[in-house]
Amino acid sequence: MKIIILGLGYVGLVTAVGLANSGHEITGLDVDMNKVKMLQNENMYIYEHGLEELVKENTKNGRLAFDTLENISCIDSEVVFIAVGTPSQSNGSADLSQLKNAIEHVVDKAKSPLTIVVKSTVPPGTGKKIKEMYLEKASFKHSYVSNPEFLREGQALKDWFYPDRIVIGGDDREATAFISDLYKDIKAPIVISDVTTAEMIKYASNAFLATKISFINEIANLSDLTGANIDGVVQGISHDPRISGSFLRAGIGYGGSCFPKDVRALDFISTINGHSFELLKAVINVNNRQRLIPIQILRREMGLLSGKKIAVLGLAFKPNTDDIREAPSIEIINLLIGEGAAIKAYDPIVDGTEKNFYYQEAVFTKNVWETVNDANAIILTTEWDEFVNLDWFEVYKYTQSPHIIIDGRNVLQPRLINEIGFKYFGIGRSCV
Ligand SMILES: NC(=O)c1ccc[n+]([C@@H]2O[C@H](COP(=O)([O-])OP(=O)(O)OC[C@H]3O[C@@H](n4cnc5c(N)ncnc54)[C@H](O)[C@@H]3O)[C@@H](O)[C@H]2O)c1
């Protein structure tokens, strides 16, 4: 089947190759001419394991093509997926301008009735509004389906081909059945609902996961104060299947392009609906506070940070992605520079020099050794395997007093690191 996809970011591009792999004929459209040009030349502008190979393979076999939105004069497919961004506005609400723009184009260029499938994360009630504002006035009777995406950057293709569930929300049975059929190759439970429920499922999922993270971070903070060991606590509670062990690693908090913005958007939606979602506000506050912990430790241990040399390992908000949107590294580096510290930073995938407009005056290095050379302290902000598996004996030789390591992701072995001679600080591991 011919399918058009609007928005070729992390979600749109994965959707494009996923559906092309199932045998559909995909045209991916974006408003960003540079992205389109790169894809047309089979070059990637995002890093996602395995994506480049699948883009090349499906382009070669003729199932995948890319173009700019303005270049196409009409929509000649039955189905259009929309995977445009829905970033945060300053008041926390989701900015739906990309979505509205995409819908306007689709309605304008449609030559027959379409099924419009929205993969972008949008506040509950958005689908209803889009129908009222655009679809009911359109020349054709289009169907609207909400099909929120749950992929995780860093393992996006795996999540596409082996998802935990597929959520399809529509107010029209024929349309939901039609879209369910597109996923027939994928073995996963399909949850069918109305549009607004599907939209809420996405926010509820992200808010719940963020809550788990902030919850365990608070237990870790309390463990530091009481002498408990967070690793033991997590091990002890994870055996309970009602709790489960996932998303219970304490650290410097969540970041990325989804959790922070989606939790803020849900809080905003609650407020404008007259409900104060206190739990969510606490989740946000805990997360904002958590990333300040490395700075608090450094101040406590070293006093004034002016002139101190600090190595930051990791820029991406999590391993195996090049995404730095709302990454803790940004705030940590900028605050430390504000305190007068000299920062060197390195990430295995993110080219800091290219993204340096996010960071004030940090020096971006090409490898770990340049980064840690002469450092008084190291902050591990992203748990890349390269950092976890480092020869820390060797690293020690490069660093200088007081040889502090702040393990912002609780992935190093505290005893070993202390035995080497470092002063180790994790989150909730002070008793180790
Ligand atoms: N990134 C994730 O891990 C993830 C996971 C699940 C859901 N989501 C949600 O999916 C949506 C997309 O996320 P993303 O990370 O892929 O965003 P992104 O910012 O990486 O990509 C969005 C793309 O849409 C393009 N675009 C904007 N307006 C357009 C238009 N009118 N027509 C065509 N293209 C247009 C942009 O140029 C950009 O390339 C968001 O709502 C996000 O919350 C993201």
Side-chain angles (χ1 to χ4, degrees):
M1 184 188 304
K2 269 190 176 180
I3 298 174
I4 285 181
I5 297 176
L6 265 70
L8 295 170
Y10 290 86
V11 170
L13 196 51
V14 170
T15 304
V17 297
L19 290 171
N21 239 48
S22 296
H24 300 291
E25 198 185 312
I26 309 297
T27 307
L29 304 174
D30 204 290
V31 286
D32 186 332
M33 203 187 292
N34 291 331
K35 284 185 180 175
V36 171
K37 265 194 194 144
M38 283 183 80
L39 287 169
Q40 286 171 335
N41 294 324
E42 298 181 8
N43 292 322
M44 293 295 112
Y45 49 82
I46 52 174
Y47 172 80
E48 191 59 54
H49 178 69
L51 191 59
E52 186 168 356
E53 291 77 3
L54 280 187
V55 167
K56 285 185 173 159
E57 191 183 310
N58 284 292
T59 308
K60 201 170 278 165
N61 65 28
R63 288 203 292 252
L64 185 57
F66 303 102
D67 212 335
T68 55
L69 182 62
E70 63 177 26
N71 230 3
I72 58 146
S73 54
C74 70
I75 304 255
D76 59 352
S77 67
E78 273 176 82
V79 184
V80 176
F81 277 78
I82 298 183
V84 297
T86 48
S88 264
Q89 307 203 90
S90 54
N91 61 7
S93 64
D95 176 356
L96 299 178
S97 55
Q98 292 182 33
L99 176 72
K100 289 178 179 169
N101 179 281
I103 297 272
E104 268 173 12
H105 272 276
V106 169
V107 167
D108 195 41
K109 292 180 176 177
K111 291 286 171 260
S112 55
L114 301 169
T115 303
I116 300 171
V117 186
V118 172
K119 280 206 110 25
S120 303
T121 303
V122 296
T126 301
K128 267 189 193 163
K129 277 192 210 136
I130 294 286
K131 282 198 241 176
E132 276 168 27
M133 286 167 68
Y134 302 99
L135 304 192
E136 283 166 13
K137 296 173 190 154
S139 322
F140 299 99
K141 194 174 177 303
H142 305 301
S143 299
Y144 184 99
V145 170
S146 165
N147 173 214
E149 181 53 57
F150 297 91
L151 65 78
R152 288 160 288 181
E153 287 174 23
Q155 54 178 84
L157 286 170
K158 181 173 165 268
D159 286 345
W160 175 273
F161 291 112
Y162 305 97
D164 301 321
R165 79 300 210 184
I166 294 166
V167 174
I168 300 177
D171 302 325
D172 158 358
R173 257 195 213 173
E174 230 176 90
T176 48
F178 178 49
I179 298 307
S180 304
D181 201 48
L182 287 182
Y183 288 104
K184 64 174 184 275
D185 285 1
I186 296 174
K187 286 196 172 40
I190 295 198
V191 178
I192 303 282
S193 71
D194 59 85
V195 169
T196 309
T197 302
E199 293 165 340
M200 184 62 101
I201 288 171
K202 175 65 191 175
Y203 277 97
S205 300
N206 277 0
F208 186 73
L209 293 171
T211 303
K212 277 189 98 171
I213 295 171
S214 282
F215 176 81
I216 207 63
N217 281 338
E218 282 291 66
I219 295 289
N221 295 336
L222 199 51
S223 295
D224 272 333
L225 295 172
T226 57
N229 172 5
I230 191 65
D231 300 332
V233 175
V234 169
Q235 199 188 6
I237 65 176
S238 300
H239 285 289
D240 185 333
R242 293 170 303 175
I243 296 174
S244 108
S246 64
F247 270 73
L248 288 182
R249 182 183 290 143
I252 52 174
Y254 60 78
S257 64
C258 292
F259 284 5
K261 85 170 169 70
D262 294 346
V263 175
R264 282 195 298 267
L266 191 57
D267 181 40
F268 181 85
I269 297 157
S270 295
T271 307
I272 53 158
N273 277 286
H275 174 68
S276 183
F277 201 149
E278 297 302 323
L279 178 61
L280 219 48
K281 292 183 197 305
V283 168
I284 296 168
N285 288 339
V286 169
N287 197 60
N288 290 341
R289 217 179 48 198
Q290 211 63 17
R291 53 183 63 181
L292 303 181
I293 289 178
I295 295 146
Q296 290 160 357
I297 295 173
L298 291 178
R299 276 180 160 191
R300 194 180 67 218
E301 295 297 314
M302 298 202 288
L304 286 179
L305 298 180
S306 176
K308 296 290 186 312
K309 294 178 175 166
I310 298 170
V312 175
L313 297 182
L315 298 173
F317 83 95
K318 67 173 180 178
N320 306 316
T321 180
D322 60 344
D323 199 344
I324 60 164
R325 288 178 281 186
E326 301 213 31
S329 68
I330 299 176
E331 196 168 352
I332 290 171
I333 289 177
N334 289 335
L335 282 170
L336 285 172
I337 287 175
E339 301 253 334
I343 304 293
K344 281 198 269 177
Y346 165 71
D347 188 283
I349 293 287
V350 180
D351 181 346
T353 325
E354 244 176 44
K355 307 245 170 157
N356 66 358
F357 50 90
Y358 284 102
Y359 304 93
Q360 314 160 22
E361 299 164 35
V363 173
F364 297 101
T365 53
K366 293 268 177 270
N367 58 51
V368 168
W369 309 107
E370 275 180 53
T371 320
V372 298
N373 195 26
D374 255 357
N376 301 109
I378 297 172
I379 308 177
L380 197 155
T381 41
T382 317
E383 65 276 35
W384 286 96
D385 282 349
E386 180 180 341
F387 303 150
V388 179
N389 300 324
L390 267 176
D391 180 346
W392 288 97
F393 285 95
E394 198 56 29
V395 173
Y396 182 79
K397 294 180 197 159
Y398 281 75
T399 58
Q400 59 166 318
S401 174
H403 301 283
I404 289 172
I405 287 197
I406 300 173
D407 177 3
R409 298 299 177 185
N410 278 6
V411 286
L412 304 179
Q413 296 174 45
R415 279 208 186 95
L416 173 72
I417 299 290
N418 280 329
E419 275 165 26
I420 292 171
F422 286 109
K423 260 182 124 174
Y424 175 91
F425 298 91
I427 313 287
R429 289 171 139 191
S430 56
C431 71
V432 182

mmCIF file of all heavy atoms in Angstrom, residues 114-150:
data_model
loop_
_atom_site.group_PDB
_atom_site.id
_atom_site.type_symbol
_atom_site.label_atom_id
_atom_site.label_comp_id
_atom_site.label_asym_id
_atom_site.label_seq_id
_atom_site.Cartn_x
_atom_site.Cartn_y
_atom_site.Cartn_z
ATOM 1 N N LEU A 114 -8.972 10.216 3.094
ATOM 2 C CA LEU A 114 -7.739 9.638 3.660
ATOM 3 C C LEU A 114 -7.986 9.112 5.069
ATOM 4 O O LEU A 114 -8.901 9.569 5.749
ATOM 5 C CB LEU A 114 -6.668 10.731 3.791
ATOM 6 C CG LEU A 114 -6.230 11.471 2.547
ATOM 7 C CD1 LEU A 114 -5.381 12.682 2.946
ATOM 8 C CD2 LEU A 114 -5.407 10.531 1.670
ATOM 9 N N THR A 115 -7.116 8.210 5.488
ATOM 10 C CA THR A 115 -7.041 7.895 6.917
ATOM 11 C C THR A 115 -5.798 8.603 7.440
ATOM 12 O O THR A 115 -4.683 8.317 7.003
ATOM 13 C CB THR A 115 -6.950 6.373 7.156
ATOM 14 O OG1 THR A 115 -8.083 5.765 6.533
ATOM 15 C CG2 THR A 115 -6.939 6.055 8.643
ATOM 16 N N ILE A 116 -6.014 9.549 8.325
ATOM 17 C CA ILE A 116 -4.900 10.339 8.877
ATOM 18 C C ILE A 116 -4.547 9.755 10.244
ATOM 19 O O ILE A 116 -5.396 9.686 11.143
ATOM 20 C CB ILE A 116 -5.302 11.825 9.011
ATOM 21 C CG1 ILE A 116 -5.668 12.377 7.629
ATOM 22 C CG2 ILE A 116 -4.192 12.642 9.659
ATOM 23 C CD1 ILE A 116 -6.285 13.764 7.646
ATOM 24 N N VAL A 117 -3.308 9.293 10.367
ATOM 25 C CA VAL A 117 -2.877 8.596 11.586
ATOM 26 C C VAL A 117 -1.856 9.473 12.305
ATOM 27 O O VAL A 117 -0.794 9.761 11.754
ATOM 28 C CB VAL A 117 -2.202 7.244 11.231
ATOM 29 C CG1 VAL A 117 -1.894 6.455 12.490
ATOM 30 C CG2 VAL A 117 -3.079 6.438 10.279
ATOM 31 N N VAL A 118 -2.166 9.890 13.520
ATOM 32 C CA VAL A 118 -1.235 10.757 14.247
ATOM 33 C C VAL A 118 -0.399 9.929 15.228
ATOM 34 O O VAL A 118 -0.930 9.305 16.140
ATOM 35 C CB VAL A 118 -1.996 11.896 14.967
ATOM 36 C CG1 VAL A 118 -1.064 12.689 15.878
ATOM 37 C CG2 VAL A 118 -2.600 12.830 13.916
ATOM 38 N N LYS A 119 0.897 9.917 14.968
ATOM 39 C CA LYS A 119 1.842 9.207 15.846
ATOM 40 C C LYS A 119 2.448 10.154 16.874
ATOM 41 O O LYS A 119 2.961 9.716 17.894
ATOM 42 C CB LYS A 119 2.985 8.592 15.014
ATOM 43 C CG LYS A 119 2.595 7.300 14.341
ATOM 44 C CD LYS A 119 3.777 6.413 14.070
ATOM 45 C CE LYS A 119 3.878 5.161 14.884
ATOM 46 N NZ LYS A 119 2.753 4.543 15.470
ATOM 47 N N SER A 120 2.420 11.442 16.573
ATOM 48 C CA SER A 120 2.982 12.421 17.512
ATOM 49 C C SER A 120 2.246 12.325 18.841
ATOM 50 O O SER A 120 1.062 11.968 18.884
ATOM 51 C CB SER A 120 2.807 13.840 16.965
ATOM 52 O OG SER A 120 3.403 13.954 15.702
ATOM 53 N N THR A 121 2.957 12.679 19.911
ATOM 54 C CA THR A 121 2.337 12.692 21.241
ATOM 55 C C THR A 121 1.559 13.999 21.390
ATOM 56 O O THR A 121 2.155 15.086 21.347
ATOM 57 C CB THR A 121 3.436 12.605 22.326
ATOM 58 O OG1 THR A 121 4.204 11.431 22.082
ATOM 59 C CG2 THR A 121 2.844 12.561 23.715
ATOM 60 N N VAL A 122 0.251 13.880 21.522
ATOM 61 C CA VAL A 122 -0.573 15.093 21.607
ATOM 62 C C VAL A 122 -1.534 14.993 22.798
ATOM 63 O O VAL A 122 -1.967 13.896 23.159
ATOM 64 C CB VAL A 122 -1.381 15.331 20.299
ATOM 65 C CG1 VAL A 122 -0.447 15.581 19.126
ATOM 66 C CG2 VAL A 122 -2.317 14.176 19.993
ATOM 67 N N PRO A 123 -1.861 16.122 23.427
ATOM 68 C CA PRO A 123 -2.710 16.101 24.617
ATOM 69 C C PRO A 123 -4.080 15.474 24.340
ATOM 70 O O PRO A 123 -4.630 15.627 23.239
ATOM 71 C CB PRO A 123 -2.883 17.583 24.958
ATOM 72 C CG PRO A 123 -1.737 18.253 24.319
ATOM 73 C CD PRO A 123 -1.403 17.467 23.087
ATOM 74 N N PRO A 124 -4.622 14.772 25.340
ATOM 75 C CA PRO A 124 -5.959 14.196 25.177
ATOM 76 C C PRO A 124 -6.957 15.286 24.787
ATOM 77 O O PRO A 124 -6.991 16.344 25.396
ATOM 78 C CB PRO A 124 -6.291 13.635 26.562
ATOM 79 C CG PRO A 124 -5.078 13.780 27.393
ATOM 80 C CD PRO A 124 -4.030 14.510 26.643
ATOM 81 N N GLY A 125 -7.708 15.021 23.757
ATOM 82 C CA GLY A 125 -8.674 16.006 23.265
ATOM 83 C C GLY A 125 -8.215 16.642 21.964
ATOM 84 O O GLY A 125 -9.006 17.274 21.254
ATOM 85 N N THR A 126 -6.920 16.459 21.611
ATOM 86 C CA THR A 126 -6.401 17.106 20.395
ATOM 87 C C THR A 126 -7.102 16.567 19.141
ATOM 88 O O THR A 126 -7.493 17.336 18.262
ATOM 89 C CB THR A 126 -4.867 16.864 20.275
ATOM 90 O OG1 THR A 126 -4.241 17.399 21.430
ATOM 91 C CG2 THR A 126 -4.295 17.516 19.031
ATOM 92 N N GLY A 127 -7.242 15.249 19.072
ATOM 93 C CA GLY A 127 -7.880 14.653 17.892
ATOM 94 C C GLY A 127 -9.267 15.238 17.650
ATOM 95 O O GLY A 127 -9.630 15.579 16.523
ATOM 96 N N LYS A 128 -10.017 15.368 18.743
ATOM 97 C CA LYS A 128 -11.379 15.923 18.629
ATOM 98 C C LYS A 128 -11.329 17.325 18.036
ATOM 99 O O LYS A 128 -12.111 17.680 17.153
ATOM 100 C CB LYS A 128 -12.016 16.016 20.031
ATOM 101 C CG LYS A 128 -12.833 14.818 20.400
ATOM 102 C CD LYS A 128 -13.578 15.099 21.691
ATOM 103 C CE LYS A 128 -14.121 13.775 22.210
ATOM 104 N NZ LYS A 128 -14.512 13.833 23.605
ATOM 105 N N LYS A 129 -10.376 18.123 18.546
ATOM 106 C CA LYS A 129 -10.253 19.519 18.067
ATOM 107 C C LYS A 129 -9.829 19.542 16.606
ATOM 108 O O LYS A 129 -10.333 20.349 15.816
ATOM 109 C CB LYS A 129 -9.220 20.280 18.907
ATOM 110 C CG LYS A 129 -9.792 20.812 20.184
ATOM 111 C CD LYS A 129 -8.817 21.791 20.813
ATOM 112 C CE LYS A 129 -8.989 21.740 22.315
ATOM 113 N NZ LYS A 129 -7.757 21.721 23.066
ATOM 114 N N ILE A 130 -8.900 18.663 16.243
ATOM 115 C CA ILE A 130 -8.419 18.638 14.848
ATOM 116 C C ILE A 130 -9.595 18.298 13.924
ATOM 117 O O ILE A 130 -9.759 18.895 12.848
ATOM 118 C CB ILE A 130 -7.275 17.591 14.677
ATOM 119 C CG1 ILE A 130 -6.044 18.008 15.481
ATOM 120 C CG2 ILE A 130 -6.953 17.320 13.220
ATOM 121 C CD1 ILE A 130 -5.237 19.149 14.915
ATOM 122 N N LYS A 131 -10.426 17.374 14.385
ATOM 123 C CA LYS A 131 -11.583 17.009 13.536
ATOM 124 C C LYS A 131 -12.495 18.214 13.339
ATOM 125 O O LYS A 131 -12.917 18.510 12.230
ATOM 126 C CB LYS A 131 -12.353 15.855 14.196
ATOM 127 C CG LYS A 131 -11.657 14.516 13.990
ATOM 128 C CD LYS A 131 -12.618 13.380 14.234
ATOM 129 C CE LYS A 131 -12.128 12.533 15.372
ATOM 130 N NZ LYS A 131 -13.037 11.469 15.752
ATOM 131 N N GLU A 132 -12.780 18.899 14.455
ATOM 132 C CA GLU A 132 -13.673 20.073 14.367
ATOM 133 C C GLU A 132 -13.062 21.185 13.517
ATOM 134 O O GLU A 132 -13.724 21.783 12.675
ATOM 135 C CB GLU A 132 -13.898 20.654 15.769
ATOM 136 C CG GLU A 132 -14.989 19.958 16.550
ATOM 137 C CD GLU A 132 -14.937 20.398 18.018
ATOM 138 O OE1 GLU A 132 -14.475 21.532 18.310
ATOM 139 O OE2 GLU A 132 -15.331 19.577 18.839
ATOM 140 N N MET A 133 -11.766 21.438 13.763
ATOM 141 C CA MET A 133 -11.140 22.606 13.130
ATOM 142 C C MET A 133 -10.830 22.390 11.653
ATOM 143 O O MET A 133 -10.887 23.315 10.858
ATOM 144 C CB MET A 133 -9.823 22.958 13.844
ATOM 145 C CG MET A 133 -10.036 23.598 15.191
ATOM 146 S SD MET A 133 -8.489 23.647 16.130
ATOM 147 C CE MET A 133 -7.529 24.807 15.191
ATOM 148 N N TYR A 134 -10.445 21.149 11.289
ATOM 149 C CA TYR A 134 -9.974 20.933 9.911
ATOM 150 C C TYR A 134 -10.767 19.881 9.141
ATOM 151 O O TYR A 134 -11.101 20.100 7.987
ATOM 152 C CB TYR A 134 -8.487 20.509 9.917
ATOM 153 C CG TYR A 134 -7.583 21.504 10.582
ATOM 154 C CD1 TYR A 134 -7.163 21.307 11.899
ATOM 155 C CD2 TYR A 134 -7.146 22.647 9.907
ATOM 156 C CE1 TYR A 134 -6.321 22.233 12.523
ATOM 157 C CE2 TYR A 134 -6.308 23.571 10.519
ATOM 158 C CZ TYR A 134 -5.906 23.355 11.826
ATOM 159 O OH TYR A 134 -5.084 24.266 12.435
ATOM 160 N N LEU A 135 -11.031 18.736 9.784
ATOM 161 C CA LEU A 135 -11.549 17.626 8.986
ATOM 162 C C LEU A 135 -13.021 17.797 8.620
ATOM 163 O O LEU A 135 -13.444 17.437 7.529
ATOM 164 C CB LEU A 135 -11.308 16.285 9.700
ATOM 165 C CG LEU A 135 -9.854 15.993 10.078
ATOM 166 C CD1 LEU A 135 -9.668 14.541 10.512
ATOM 167 C CD2 LEU A 135 -8.877 16.307 8.937
ATOM 168 N N GLU A 136 -13.791 18.362 9.560
ATOM 169 C CA GLU A 136 -15.222 18.522 9.252
ATOM 170 C C GLU A 136 -15.458 19.549 8.144
ATOM 171 O O GLU A 136 -16.506 19.551 7.505
ATOM 172 C CB GLU A 136 -15.992 18.906 10.527
ATOM 173 C CG GLU A 136 -16.198 17.685 11.411
ATOM 174 C CD GLU A 136 -16.650 18.002 12.822
ATOM 175 O OE1 GLU A 136 -17.046 19.163 13.068
ATOM 176 O OE2 GLU A 136 -16.594 17.084 13.666
ATOM 177 N N LYS A 137 -14.467 20.409 7.916
ATOM 178 C CA LYS A 137 -14.616 21.439 6.874
ATOM 179 C C LYS A 137 -13.961 21.014 5.555
ATOM 180 O O LYS A 137 -13.976 21.750 4.581
ATOM 181 C CB LYS A 137 -13.962 22.741 7.332
ATOM 182 C CG LYS A 137 -14.643 23.346 8.554
ATOM 183 C CD LYS A 137 -13.851 24.527 9.071
ATOM 184 C CE LYS A 137 -14.394 24.955 10.424
ATOM 185 N NZ LYS A 137 -13.395 25.624 11.227
ATOM 186 N N ALA A 138 -13.334 19.847 5.561
ATOM 187 C CA ALA A 138 -12.561 19.426 4.369
ATOM 188 C C ALA A 138 -13.481 18.968 3.237
ATOM 189 O O ALA A 138 -14.658 18.644 3.461
ATOM 190 C CB ALA A 138 -11.623 18.289 4.753
ATOM 191 N N SER A 139 -12.929 18.906 2.019
ATOM 192 C CA SER A 139 -13.737 18.512 0.851
ATOM 193 C C SER A 139 -14.069 17.021 0.866
ATOM 194 O O SER A 139 -15.015 16.587 0.228
ATOM 195 C CB SER A 139 -12.982 18.791 -0.443
ATOM 196 O OG SER A 139 -12.266 19.962 -0.363
ATOM 197 N N PHE A 140 -13.223 16.236 1.562
ATOM 198 C CA PHE A 140 -13.477 14.792 1.623
ATOM 199 C C PHE A 140 -13.711 14.378 3.072
ATOM 200 O O PHE A 140 -13.301 15.077 3.988
ATOM 201 C CB PHE A 140 -12.270 14.009 1.074
ATOM 202 C CG PHE A 140 -11.962 14.326 -0.354
ATOM 203 C CD1 PHE A 140 -10.946 15.221 -0.676
ATOM 204 C CD2 PHE A 140 -12.709 13.747 -1.379
ATOM 205 C CE1 PHE A 140 -10.663 15.530 -1.990
ATOM 206 C CE2 PHE A 140 -12.425 14.059 -2.700
ATOM 207 C CZ PHE A 140 -11.399 14.950 -3.013
ATOM 208 N N LYS A 141 -14.341 13.191 3.229
ATOM 209 C CA LYS A 141 -14.600 12.693 4.586
ATOM 210 C C LYS A 141 -13.385 11.867 5.044
ATOM 211 O O LYS A 141 -13.283 10.679 4.736
ATOM 212 C CB LYS A 141 -15.875 11.844 4.586
ATOM 213 C CG LYS A 141 -16.411 11.579 5.961
ATOM 214 C CD LYS A 141 -17.746 10.854 5.873
ATOM 215 C CE LYS A 141 -18.300 10.496 7.246
ATOM 216 N NZ LYS A 141 -17.440 9.706 8.067
ATOM 217 N N HIS A 142 -12.445 12.531 5.704
ATOM 218 C CA HIS A 142 -11.250 11.835 6.164
ATOM 219 C C HIS A 142 -11.496 11.185 7.523
ATOM 220 O O HIS A 142 -12.258 11.713 8.333
ATOM 221 C CB HIS A 142 -10.085 12.818 6.307
ATOM 222 C CG HIS A 142 -9.791 13.601 5.069
ATOM 223 N ND1 HIS A 142 -9.453 13.005 3.873
ATOM 224 C CD2 HIS A 142 -9.798 14.944 4.823
ATOM 225 C CE1 HIS A 142 -9.245 13.936 2.962
ATOM 226 N NE2 HIS A 142 -9.468 15.122 3.513
ATOM 227 N N SER A 143 -10.794 10.063 7.773
ATOM 228 C CA SER A 143 -10.857 9.440 9.107
ATOM 229 C C SER A 143 -9.630 9.853 9.892
ATOM 230 O O SER A 143 -8.560 10.073 9.320
ATOM 231 C CB SER A 143 -10.845 7.920 8.990
ATOM 232 O OG SER A 143 -11.947 7.497 8.259
ATOM 233 N N TYR A 144 -9.800 9.923 11.208
ATOM 234 C CA TYR A 144 -8.686 10.324 12.080
ATOM 235 C C TYR A 144 -8.402 9.202 13.061
ATOM 236 O O TYR A 144 -9.306 8.700 13.730
ATOM 237 C CB TYR A 144 -9.075 11.592 12.845
ATOM 238 C CG TYR A 144 -7.971 12.153 13.712
ATOM 239 C CD1 TYR A 144 -7.185 13.213 13.279
ATOM 240 C CD2 TYR A 144 -7.720 11.631 14.987
ATOM 241 C CE1 TYR A 144 -6.167 13.736 14.067
ATOM 242 C CE2 TYR A 144 -6.710 12.150 15.784
ATOM 243 C CZ TYR A 144 -5.928 13.198 15.323
ATOM 244 O OH TYR A 144 -4.933 13.708 16.111
ATOM 245 N N VAL A 145 -7.134 8.796 13.127
ATOM 246 C CA VAL A 145 -6.742 7.721 14.047
ATOM 247 C C VAL A 145 -5.553 8.197 14.885
ATOM 248 O O VAL A 145 -4.613 8.800 14.364
ATOM 249 C CB VAL A 145 -6.350 6.443 13.250
ATOM 250 C CG1 VAL A 145 -5.709 5.400 14.161
ATOM 251 C CG2 VAL A 145 -7.567 5.854 12.548
ATOM 252 N N SER A 146 -5.625 7.922 16.180
ATOM 253 C CA SER A 146 -4.479 8.211 17.047
ATOM 254 C C SER A 146 -3.708 6.909 17.251
ATOM 255 O O SER A 146 -4.293 5.901 17.648
ATOM 256 C CB SER A 146 -4.983 8.739 18.396
ATOM 257 O OG SER A 146 -3.934 8.683 19.337
ATOM 258 N N ASN A 147 -2.426 6.950 16.937
ATOM 259 C CA ASN A 147 -1.603 5.733 17.044
ATOM 260 C C ASN A 147 -0.270 6.132 17.718
ATOM 261 O O ASN A 147 0.767 6.196 17.096
ATOM 262 C CB ASN A 147 -1.377 5.173 15.628
ATOM 263 C CG ASN A 147 -0.416 4.017 15.540
ATOM 264 O OD1 ASN A 147 0.305 3.879 14.551
ATOM 265 N ND2 ASN A 147 -0.380 3.176 16.544
ATOM 266 N N PRO A 148 -0.351 6.440 19.029
ATOM 267 C CA PRO A 148 0.845 6.961 19.693
ATOM 268 C C PRO A 148 2.011 5.997 19.610
ATOM 269 O O PRO A 148 1.813 4.784 19.571
ATOM 270 C CB PRO A 148 0.402 7.157 21.142
ATOM 271 C CG PRO A 148 -0.825 6.335 21.311
ATOM 272 C CD PRO A 148 -1.474 6.272 19.972
ATOM 273 N N GLU A 149 3.209 6.568 19.606
ATOM 274 C CA GLU A 149 4.419 5.750 19.448
ATOM 275 C C GLU A 149 5.114 5.591 20.805
ATOM 276 O O GLU A 149 5.174 6.532 21.574
ATOM 277 C CB GLU A 149 5.350 6.440 18.430
ATOM 278 C CG GLU A 149 6.619 5.688 18.150
ATOM 279 C CD GLU A 149 6.357 4.225 17.749
ATOM 280 O OE1 GLU A 149 5.627 3.984 16.776
ATOM 281 O OE2 GLU A 149 6.890 3.338 18.437
ATOM 282 N N PHE A 150 5.626 4.373 21.050
ATOM 283 C CA PHE A 150 6.268 4.096 22.345
ATOM 284 C C PHE A 150 7.744 3.743 22.191
ATOM 285 O O PHE A 150 8.367 3.289 23.144
ATOM 286 C CB PHE A 150 5.529 2.956 23.064
ATOM 287 C CG PHE A 150 4.107 3.306 23.400
ATOM 288 C CD1 PHE A 150 3.071 3.020 22.513
ATOM 289 C CD2 PHE A 150 3.803 3.967 24.573
ATOM 290 C CE1 PHE A 150 1.769 3.369 22.798
ATOM 291 C CE2 PHE A 150 2.491 4.328 24.876
ATOM 292 C CZ PHE A 150 1.472 4.032 23.987
#
